[in-house]
Amino acid sequence: MSVPAFTVWGVTGIPEIAEGDDLVALIGDAIAAMGAEHALRDGDILVVTSKIVSKAEGRMVPAVDREKAIADDTVRVVAERVHPGGVTRIVETKQGMIMAAAGLDMSNVPEGFALKLPEDPDRSARALCAGLRDRFGVRLAIIVTDTVGRPWRVGQTDLAIGAAGLQLTDDLRGANDANGRPLHVTMAVVADELAGAADLVKGKTSGIPVAVVRGMGRLVAGLDAPGARTLVRTGDDDMFRFGSAEAYRLGYEAAMAEMKRGKISHERSKEQKQD
Amino acid sequence: MSVPAFTVWGVTGIPEIAEGDDLVALIGDAIAAMGAEHALRDGDILVVTSKIVSKAEGRMVPAVDREKAIADDTVRVVAERVHPGGVTRIVETKQGMIMAAAGLDMSNVPEGFALKLPEDPDRSARALCAGLRDRFGVRLAIIVTDTVGRPWRVGQTDLAIGAAGLQLTDDLRGANDANGRPLHVTMAVVADELAGAADLVKGKTSGIPVAVVRGMGRLVAGLDAPGARTLVRTGDDDMFRFGSAEAYRLGYEAAMAEMKRGKISHERSKEQKQD
């Protein structure tokens, strides 16, 4: 039996990114400088921190405009909590992510500035994928990641917020298990698992914003493969569409409104009887 | 600059596990049979699917007792939804996980049976870690994983539900970013990222329940390091303690109860005036 395996490494030597920088050129140059062992091959998956994509795309805003920047990227507020340090506001962003402060990032940016998520991370991923495939002549995939908190767990993990040239899931919903019984509900989101794996070498303090995953070439697909936006599930059927406090308040207000209507209609019917 | 890197591979040749099996012996034998290249070294992290831990610990129940098995492992119901295929019930389990059907597993078990989560996955991880450290004389870590759905995202990823000998998080809350500014809120949950990475080689149909991660030895810790239970955040301060529908109903019912009390006290005060 062959041993399934893959390797992950960080791409060193990528300089600080500024607005207008050509990421294909800068990432490509850094990879080229790493030598033959780390030269890209067919089936490699590049995992890119969204922060450098945002920087290249000019998504930096003055920190004083923080609230406006969050509002700009917010589709709706999901949950809010006031605590001694301020307000934690979990929102659904334009990009479909549910994140604190709409993903606005205050770390690893110059003092006095904040960084918004890329406008369309899938589009950014497609551009990187096309450009790097072209430069190196290899069939690779791109994942753009961000760091996201989760309900019911401490801390954060990295998720795929953009992707190109990648099969995002191992959809086993039609497959059978080892006993031949159908696997009804299992759809492993390999894009998110790859994002998390890459974070283990990228880190937040190391200045390594790109990682390469080698050995998962079976997941590399055409440039027209669906992007990470398709991993989002935020419709009305979302069981956690609102925070508990927010949903509680909606229920409370609905009951009050109903009572008020009931009282009015009750009083009206009394008035009608008196007529 | 040195290149940060790690490798992940699947452990082949682990037989079907039955109640009472000695997992240390069976995993150890399979690893030993893989030869020198895959022999364990200091700093290796073994990632073990909870399914084989449950099987060895005799957590199989007849499928007809499914509802009772779910109830046994349920601390509280978080959210519930009726749909054409039945009821999806998201619950908090004894193990602290928020999972559909309390993590009860119907795949890769014999027809007519279902499999509960390990009673205490951290305890299981510690036993495996101590046993395998002893057998091979190397300092390794153990993660026990399960496959879990997430709010706001399609599909599932693997998370750490048990751990031993592992630093679970890269806690950067005191550290500085590359610009020397403090990283206030970042705590990367590397245990979950490792669990997801390992799932990429384990898979659900391959019959490979164990993976080895090599290159992350900086995360290997003493046997007394905190277990995965410490990654759980399900207290009253949890912003998503209940599903939206459940919280809405609680708010609705609270308003109704208040109105009723208000009406009663209003009528009482009228009675008192009449006295």
Side-chain angles (χ1 to χ4, degrees), chain A residues 1-13 16 34 38 55 76 78-81 88-90 96-98 106-113 147 149-161 169 172 175-179 181-183 185-190 192-201 203-208 216 218-219 228 230-234 236-256 258-260, chain B residues 1-10 12-13 16 34 38 55 76 78-81 88-90 96-98 106-113 147 149-161 169 172 175-179 181-183 185-190 192-201 203-208 216 218-219 228 230-234 236-256 258-260:
Chain A
M1 189 173 183
S2 75
V3 177
F6 67 93
T7 307
V8 184
W9 67 84
V11 175
T12 53
E16 183 62 33
M34 288 182 78
H38 296 105
K55 284 182 175 176
R76 66 183 185 93
V78 172
E80 210 166 40
R81 171 153 295 177
T88 298
R89 191 174 295 133
I90 314 289
M97 302 301 295
I98 311 285
M106 307 284 283
S107 65
N108 279 307
V109 290
E111 187 73 38
F113 288 89
T147 303
R150 306 88 46 91
W152 318 316
R153 305 281 282 174
V154 302
Q156 296 89 29
T157 55
D158 274 17
L159 295 181
I161 68 166
T169 63
L172 303 173
N176 290 334
D177 66 18
N179 296 314
R181 289 168 61 187
L183 282 161
V185 294
T186 303
M187 184 170 73
V189 184
V190 289
D192 286 338
E193 293 182 329
L194 288 163
D199 187 44
L200 293 164
V201 295
K204 302 281 176 294
T205 52
S206 60
I208 294 185
M216 297 303 295
R218 68 176 177 83
L219 298 174
T230 61
L231 299 176
V232 168
R233 184 178 58 182
T234 51
D236 285 340
D237 64 338
D238 176 7
M239 292 170 93
F240 298 93
R241 182 161 172 76
F242 294 103
S244 298
E246 287 69 21
Y248 182 98
R249 192 162 58 236
L250 289 171
Y252 187 94
E253 285 166 0
M256 288 297 183
E258 249 177 54
M259 301 285 263
K260 205 171 163 188
Chain B
M1 186 174 186
S2 77
V3 177
F6 66 94
T7 307
V8 185
W9 67 85
T12 54
E16 183 63 31
M34 289 181 78
H38 296 105
K55 283 182 176 176
R76 65 182 185 93
V78 173
E80 211 168 38
R81 170 151 295 178
T88 299
R89 192 174 295 133
I90 314 288
M97 303 299 295
I98 311 285
M106 308 284 284
S107 65
N108 279 306
V109 290
E111 187 74 36
F113 287 89
T147 303
R150 305 90 46 90
W152 319 315
R153 306 282 282 174
V154 301
Q156 296 88 30
T157 55
D158 275 17
L159 295 181
I161 68 167
T169 63
L172 303 173
N176 290 335
D177 67 18
N179 295 316
R181 291 169 59 189
L183 282 161
V185 295
T186 302
M187 184 171 72
V189 184
V190 289
D192 286 338
E193 294 183 328
L194 288 162
D199 187 45
L200 293 165
V201 295
K204 302 281 176 294
T205 53
S206 61
I208 294 185
M216 298 302 296
R218 69 176 175 84
L219 298 174
T230 61
L231 300 176
V232 168
R233 185 179 57 182
T234 52
D236 285 339
D237 64 339
D238 175 6
M239 291 170 95
F240 298 93
R241 183 161 172 76
F242 295 102
S244 297
E246 287 69 21
Y248 181 98
R249 191 162 58 238
L250 288 171
Y252 187 93
E253 285 166 0
M256 287 296 183
E258 249 178 54
M259 300 287 263
K260 206 173 164 186

